[in-house]
Amino acid sequence: MEDLLRQLGPRVLGVLVRRGADFASAEDAVQEALIEAVDRWSEGMPSDPQAWLVTVAWRRWLDHVRSETARHRRERADLAEPPPGPTEQADDTLRLLSLSCHPALSPASAVALTLRAVGGLTTRQIAEAYLVPETTMGQRISRAKRTVAEHGLAPQEARDLNRVLRVLYLVFNEGYQGEVDLAAEAVRLARELARQTGDPEAVGLLALMLLHHARRASRFEEDGSLVTLADQDRSLWDTRLVAEAVDLLQGALAADRLGEFQAQAAIAALHADAPSADETDWPQVVGWYDELLALTDSPVVALNRAVAVGEADGPQAGLRALADVPDGIPRREAAHAHLLERAGEPARAAALYARAAARASSTAERDHLTRQAARLRRR
């Protein structure tokens, strides 16, 4: 029952929001309906659990509105509104995600509200995942709800799928902390969004997540040290997830509406297809980075492209490509060090690895870069 309620809660919330309920009070009404369901359903499940929850939650919300605003003329017939059909469910899913990813919210607040309202996670679970006190996370979510209630969504914002996809990717990249596997939760939400909307970019994001998720078991040693893509044990990769991702990506690309997540997934698929790092189709990787750079004009993409050029055409070509990447871009020094090492300049590479380690964004990355610098200095 717990899994079913967690699955149905966001759907019911989406229905109430579509009917005109404000976000914060709608969520309160849904929570009350879920609590009542736990009490009532132990005696027997209704034939249509979602319709039951919609009816109860809508009544709770109407009661709230009546008590707060003294509006007594709402039509009781609204209570009998049938459950949403497939098109309405798709609209509800996107609108609810769009509210949770409201442009007025900071990325951290959007992630927290998405996990609470759409993911159905408790405040405690989200707080543990982000290593903050439950009261702090509760305040963050409450502020996010107030912001959403104050600003609302313009029609174009309600259909801004790209913003939603970016927030889901932020959730995915948080990985695993506490009792909640945020990467798996992001995959679940992306899968639902791709199923409901059928949008090629939503499908592309799902494929990208699955391809990265497939390599999860090989990314770290038992002691927590980072393993680079080139050194990963590819026998540990989940071939089932890789196959699913490639099928999804092929379908998305066939729609001929290329977006950045599809291009990123295509690059990840080329890495997943190679038996070893040396056997990677680097020229094709560079080609996809060219497509991605045209879509985003991102210096981070230009940095990754320079590394790929170094693999395809040699380290000197990579260094020339790197010269076009501005200083200060995260991991630029590490990429520069890698290319210099391949070009036969270990002393310069060691110095850059050490500088990159001092600016690393995680302990695992810092330790890895420090080991690289030490390795070259011992030569």
Side-chain angles (χ1 to χ4, degrees):
M1 185 186 296
E2 182 179 345
D3 290 341
L4 177 62
L5 291 175
R6 181 182 171 193
Q7 179 184 10
L8 292 177
R11 296 183 187 176
V12 176
L13 179 57
V15 173
L16 266 62
V17 169
R18 173 167 54 81
R19 290 185 181 183
D22 66 278
F23 190 90
S25 60
E27 192 190 26
D28 290 340
V30 171
Q31 291 304 313
E32 291 178 15
L34 293 173
I35 292 171
E36 186 169 340
V38 172
D39 292 336
R40 295 274 191 95
W41 293 4
S42 60
E43 302 171 1
M45 295 281 289
S47 59
D48 189 338
Q50 180 171 330
W52 189 97
L53 285 168
V54 168
T55 299
V56 173
W58 186 242
R59 283 176 179 155
R60 293 290 180 273
W61 184 78
L62 285 176
D63 289 344
H64 169 75
V65 170
R66 286 172 179 137
S67 64
E68 292 293 325
T69 66
R71 294 176 184 171
H72 298 292
R73 302 181 61 185
R74 292 185 175 274
E75 295 293 333
R76 298 293 294 180
D78 287 346
L79 300 177
E81 184 175 330
T87 300
E88 289 173 314
Q89 286 185 8
D91 290 341
D92 291 345
T93 298
L94 182 53
R95 181 166 184 81
L96 187 55
L97 278 164
S98 296
L99 281 167
S100 301
C101 305
H102 197 287
L105 297 176
S106 68
S109 294
V111 165
L113 190 56
T114 297
L115 291 171
R116 181 72 185 90
V118 188
L121 302 184
T122 66
T123 302
R124 178 187 60 79
Q125 288 173 320
I126 302 168
E128 287 184 356
Y130 283 91
L131 305 178
V132 299
E134 184 175 353
T135 53
T136 300
M137 184 56 69
Q139 292 168 355
R140 181 182 301 175
I141 293 173
S142 295
R143 285 195 299 269
K145 290 179 185 177
R146 288 196 298 270
T147 299
V148 170
E150 290 169 1
H151 289 80
L153 280 177
Q156 69 273 16
E157 291 173 339
R159 304 298 300 178
D160 188 355
L161 181 62
N162 189 55
R163 187 178 66 252
V164 171
L165 297 179
R166 291 182 184 281
V167 170
L168 290 183
Y169 200 36
L170 284 176
V171 176
F172 178 80
N173 284 322
E174 289 297 331
Y176 177 83
Q177 295 284 354
E179 109 181 38
V180 180
D181 186 338
L182 291 181
E185 182 62 24
V187 169
R188 185 184 72 80
L189 293 175
R191 195 184 293 280
E192 176 70 11
L193 186 61
R195 183 180 68 83
Q196 293 281 14
T197 67
D199 186 272
E201 266 295 82
V203 176
L205 175 63
L206 175 58
L208 177 62
M209 288 181 176
L210 292 175
L211 286 162
H212 286 323
H213 211 46
R215 296 194 285 108
R216 180 172 178 165
S218 64
R219 284 181 174 159
F220 295 94
E221 300 284 5
E222 291 185 3
D223 62 2
S225 58
L226 183 69
V227 182
T228 63
L229 176 61
D231 295 327
Q232 287 174 12
D233 180 354
R234 300 188 177 214
S235 69
L236 297 177
W237 292 2
D238 189 329
T239 55
R240 180 186 58 83
L241 288 182
V242 171
E244 180 188 359
V246 169
D247 285 344
L248 287 168
L249 178 60
Q250 289 174 340
L253 293 175
D256 198 24
R257 289 163 49 197
L258 184 64
E260 60 179 291
F261 288 116
Q262 295 170 70
Q264 287 186 56
I267 293 168
L270 287 169
H271 287 298
D273 184 58
S276 68
D278 291 339
E279 296 172 88
T280 303
D281 188 344
W282 288 108
Q284 195 172 169
V285 170
V286 172
W288 276 110
Y289 271 123
D290 288 339
E291 296 280 359
L292 187 56
L293 193 58
L295 289 166
T296 65
D297 193 28
S298 164
V300 175
V301 173
L303 174 65
N304 292 330
R305 178 187 177 277
V307 174
V309 168
E311 299 293 339
D313 301 324
Q316 294 301 334
L319 288 167
R320 287 192 294 272
L322 185 66
D324 295 329
V325 179
D327 292 334
I329 299 301
R331 297 184 175 85
R332 187 187 189 282
E333 290 172 327
H336 194 179
H338 170 73
L339 290 168
L340 284 174
E341 180 183 357
R342 292 195 61 229
E345 299 187 49
R348 290 182 61 196
L352 281 171
Y353 275 132
R355 284 167 53 185
R359 301 178 185 180
S361 59
S362 70
T363 301
E365 182 184 5
R366 181 200 63 200
D367 292 347
H368 169 73
L369 292 170
T370 300
R371 285 193 296 271
Q372 294 293 85
R375 173 179 57 83
L376 292 179
R377 285 170 177 163
R378 286 195 299 267
R379 285 187 178 181

